Amino acid sequence: MSTVGKAGLEDVVVSTSEICFIDGREGKLLYRGFDVDDLAEHSTFEETVFLLWQGHLPSKKELADHQKALATNRKISPKVLAALRLLPKKTTPMEVLRTGVSMLSSYDPDAADNSHEASVRKATRLTAQMPTLVAAWERIRRGKPPIAPNPRLSLAANFLYMMTGKKPSELEARTFDIALILHADHEFNASTFAARVTAATLSDMHSAVVSGIGALKGPLHGGANEQVMLMVEKIKNPLDAESFVRKNLADKGFRIMGFGHRVYRVEDPRAKHLRRLAFEVGKQRGDTSKAEMINTIARVVTEVKKIYPNVDLFSGAAYASMSLPTDQFTPIFAMSRVAGWAAHVLEQHSNNRLIRPRSEYTGAMRASYVPLDRR
Ligand code: ACO
């Protein structure tokens, strides 16, 4: 009899963790015991990063030091920028991020040091520098010079500034900050698991983050936010949204991106925040058509398929309202999730054992080798 569990490790509990709790039936998500709804309302991304890494809310002094470290480590080596300029302009932002993060380790003074203190310093630099990488590539591929980071701005506001050259409105900066909070961690999702598997070989923070980026890229995971917006662009007219969804859902194999989840059986608790923010930013810009279209899609999909929106459904509408390019949505996800990946690498290294599962072999046995000239 087969000993293999359900495909895709569904419901397999592989480890204990103190970082993140999900109740998939009630639609609850906690970081270190704090409800993500409260964090979205009251916290900042910088404070949430501290919470994920250190396990408690910071004191004023701790937060000030942490914010300063995140703000003053944003610059990346000119040599990394020079290397980015050598990449073909058609390279997708997610590929650039994967390559860029790998290059950053060559310039990190702690690269080879896996002590807890060095790993926190590396996590700080990565969290500070990934937005710079993402924004630099946006400028380079448009033939413009990258904009130097402004340490006086929050991580969220500075990213929007480096992308556009304009300081964002307060609403845009706060919307983006909340989006970063909501994407920061999510238990043993595919990219975090990939990061932990890499860390468990006693590999380093940068390698684990590169693994996470590679896993996040796929359309079944973080890549879904980009696919949602491509679907919206394909539908074009909001009046066609309902018929598009009904027609496609009739095809059994068709996947509507931004819906369904391995863990949630109800709407993803992050989706309601992103829905509200997509409408708010759209209103400020005078165009809520994308948010409205996605809302229609959500109503029809839930009615027909009984599957619910996940985090990727509305984030794109909010980002699109801020004129962020569609193929940057997944790198933006990674800029936030690096906080969670790093927290999990620190936890993995604090009590490490190699992660090495087994497979049940179903291939041939006792095949006899035939020399090449007799085949
Ligand atoms: N569109 C249409 N049908 C769907 C969808 C969807 N988005 N999601 C699930 N289903 C259906 C499947 O067809 C299947 O139906 P069946 O039992 O009749 O065959 C059933 O729901 C279960 O689906 P599975 O693929 O077995 O569920 P799984 O847990 O493996 O997949 C996943 C979860 C990958 C997220 C899936 O829901 C999906 O492909 N969603 C679209 C991609 C997406 O939005 N990914 C982002 C997830 S959130 C994140 O990673 C940040």
Side-chain angles (χ1 to χ4, degrees), residues 45-352:
F45 179 61
E46 282 86 340
E47 184 182 61
T48 299
V49 172
F50 184 98
L51 173 67
L52 286 169
W53 295 353
Q54 307 296 344
H56 62 91
L57 287 174
S59 67
K60 274 190 188 154
K61 160 102 176 64
E62 284 172 327
L63 182 59
D65 290 348
H66 173 70
Q67 278 171 329
K68 190 170 170 206
L70 283 173
T72 53
N73 276 294
R74 288 179 185 155
K75 276 198 191 131
I76 55 180
S77 163
K79 290 186 180 156
V80 172
L81 291 176
L84 293 189
R85 286 194 182 90
L86 297 176
L87 294 171
K89 294 279 188 295
K90 65 169 184 37
T91 314
T92 66
M94 202 57 180
E95 291 170 300
V96 173
L97 185 64
R98 192 186 56 206
T99 303
V101 166
S102 203
M103 279 194 288
L104 288 179
S105 77
S106 302
Y107 299 92
D108 194 300
D110 290 309
D113 187 347
N114 266 359
S115 67
H116 179 82
E117 295 71 24
S119 290
V120 171
R121 287 195 296 273
K122 285 187 280 189
T124 304
R125 288 185 203 110
L126 274 167
T127 307
Q129 292 170 0
M130 279 170 58
T132 314
L133 264 182
V134 173
W137 178 246
E138 187 55 37
R139 305 281 298 178
I140 289 169
R141 71 171 171 171
R142 287 165 189 260
K144 294 179 178 172
I147 295 173
N150 179 345
R152 286 183 300 283
L153 298 176
S154 69
L155 189 142
N158 175 61
F159 172 71
L160 296 173
Y161 164 68
M162 289 191 298
M163 285 291 272
T164 62
K166 283 188 295 203
K167 284 196 188 152
S169 70
E170 229 168 85
L171 176 66
E172 287 171 342
R174 182 59 188 148
T175 296
F176 199 75
D177 194 49
I178 295 173
L180 294 178
I181 293 171
L182 295 171
H183 287 85
D185 195 43
H186 212 230
E187 206 219 39
F188 271 46
N189 60 87
S191 58
T192 300
F193 189 54
R196 284 190 80 130
V197 169
T198 298
T201 68
L202 294 184
S203 188
D204 61 281
M205 183 64 77
H206 285 78
S207 301
V209 170
V210 171
S211 299
I213 291 172
L216 188 74
K217 183 171 177 283
L220 294 187
H221 190 14
N225 60 7
E226 179 182 346
Q227 298 301 321
V228 169
M229 202 42 60
L230 294 177
M231 172 175 70
V232 165
E233 282 159 14
K234 193 166 156 193
I235 299 173
K236 283 195 194 99
N237 186 343
L239 295 175
D240 295 336
E242 178 152 359
S243 58
F244 174 91
V245 175
R246 286 192 189 277
K247 198 167 124 235
N248 283 298
L249 280 181
D251 169 1
K252 201 173 169 342
F254 189 81
R255 297 256 149 169
I256 304 242
M257 295 293 147
F259 289 89
H261 202 276
R262 177 60 67 76
V263 184
Y264 293 118
R265 293 292 159 256
V266 292
E267 182 172 285
D268 183 325
R270 301 165 293 181
K272 61 179 177 298
H273 296 283
L274 292 160
R275 178 192 280 119
R276 175 178 60 77
L277 294 168
F279 274 100
E280 279 178 18
V281 187
K283 243 179 234 155
Q284 193 183 62
R285 287 276 179 121
D287 179 14
T288 53
S289 61
K290 288 192 178 71
E292 271 157 27
M293 193 195 289
I294 293 174
N295 229 3
T296 304
I297 295 171
R299 176 178 56 74
V300 181
V301 172
T302 304
E303 184 191 310
V304 176
K305 272 298 266 201
K306 300 279 173 293
I307 51 173
Y308 298 90
N310 59 47
V311 70
D312 285 324
L313 187 66
F314 281 98
S315 57
Y319 301 150
S321 297
M322 295 184 220
S323 308
L324 295 170
T326 306
D327 60 0
Q328 290 285 16
F329 295 175
T330 314
I332 288 169
F333 191 156
M335 276 164 38
S336 160
R337 185 55 58 85
V338 66
W341 293 331
H344 283 270
V345 171
L346 295 171
E347 186 175 66
Q348 185 66 40
H349 279 173
S350 71
N351 184 20
N352 191 59

Side-chain angles (χ1 to χ4, degrees), residues 338-371:
V338 66
W341 293 331
H344 283 270
V345 171
L346 295 171
E347 186 175 66
Q348 185 66 40
H349 279 173
S350 71
N351 184 20
N352 191 59
R353 191 158 189 236
L354 180 76
I355 298 172
R356 201 298 187 195
R358 295 292 313 272
S359 71
E360 185 179 287
Y361 180 66
T362 54
M365 298 291 271
R366 302 193 179 284
S368 52
Y369 186 82
V370 180

